[in-house]
Amino acid sequence: MDYDLYDALLHHIFKQTQGDAWFKPSEENIHAGVCLRVETGHFRVFPYDNRYLEPFEAAVRALNPVVAVKVRSAAVHAALATVTEDADCIYVDHDTRIQILDTMSWLPRADKEQCGAFIRDERVLVVWAYDADQIINMCQDFENKLIKLLWRKRAMFLNPPSATNSNAASNVNLTEKVSEVVGEKEVTAAVEKNLEKGKDKKKKRGCRWGFNYFVSSKDDVEKAAEGPSERPMRLFAPFYSGLSAAMSVFFVGSGVAILVEETVLDGLYTRFALLVTAPLLFCISLFFCLQMFGNLSMIIGPVAQYHQNSKYYSATKPAPNSIVDANLPHITIEMPVYKESLKETM
């Protein structure tokens, strides 16, 4: 068989993305592979002549990326095990949401801009790219994010609910009491005291308390990071706007006072027709007053509110809220680039 440049690229992508993966031989009906677009409507799959990759090739042909990789790894299997059967996506991190499709035949209907999708029945991850130079980095990035996700959820695997139901209540109560009463310094002092006395039982007890204390503190931090960030109400803007409105009224009132003084002197009331322009003059002066108080507030202060989040202002990235993120609608926007033809883009 004569190999060409496409064969070399297929071999290289397969080796770099999943060449070290190992699975039981009994699962030979679900093979990993790479599918590369050679020309319009023509794709080449590696490993060659593998009939189990035909559904994958057909799905990629309909999806029409430049290259797609079917990844099988322990991280993919474990990530799918962390979600329920009716879940439609996995939040790998705060910025990455990967869709879950029931079968490989649903791949052409996937959200193309995500460049990745889990296949539930085969327990694989399909990653695609529209630039062959990016596919290796994308697969490695997905793998790293999955490992980080599983590492964050390791407590669920280490302490399954079925194995710890009998001791769950006592352990939680012990952890809460120790975290509230025992501090880090007190734990250290207790351990040192027990070491000096040579009491092994108390030494173990002190070490266990210290471990529970640190775990409880970490859990509290993680729970706080998952909720909405605090957004207090700031009243600087109403205060500045009120001062500006008062000064505008003062300016208009000064003009009215002049009209009154002149009318008292000469007795002519026709000049009060100028009061029709008072609302317009108020609006014009209000703009300049707002600018004046705004500039003074930036020069004199306070300015800390410009660097903090408030109810109607966002200066920093808020803490993630998984409840809100899970219920947001997913929107797909596809726009052709000016140098691409509409036929190939569609």
Side-chain angles (χ1 to χ4, degrees), residues 198-237:
K199 296 180 180 180
D200 296 338
K201 183 177 180 179
K202 290 185 178 180
K203 285 191 297 182
K204 296 179 181 178
R205 188 178 182 183
C207 293
R208 185 173 67 253
W209 285 357
F211 175 76
N212 287 337
Y213 168 76
F214 292 119
V215 171
S216 178
S217 300
K218 182 178 180 182
D219 289 343
D220 292 340
V221 173
E222 291 177 352
K223 291 178 181 178
E226 289 296 329
S229 59
E230 183 181 0
R231 288 182 173 270
M233 177 72 75
R234 306 291 187 189
L235 300 177
F236 293 101

Side-chain angles (χ1 to χ4, degrees), residues 275-297:
L275 293 178
V276 178
T277 62
L280 179 62
L281 294 175
F282 174 81
C283 296
I284 295 175
S285 61
L286 181 61
F287 170 76
F288 293 100
C289 292
L290 287 171
Q291 293 297 320
M292 181 180 64
F293 280 103
N295 294 336
L296 289 176
S297 65

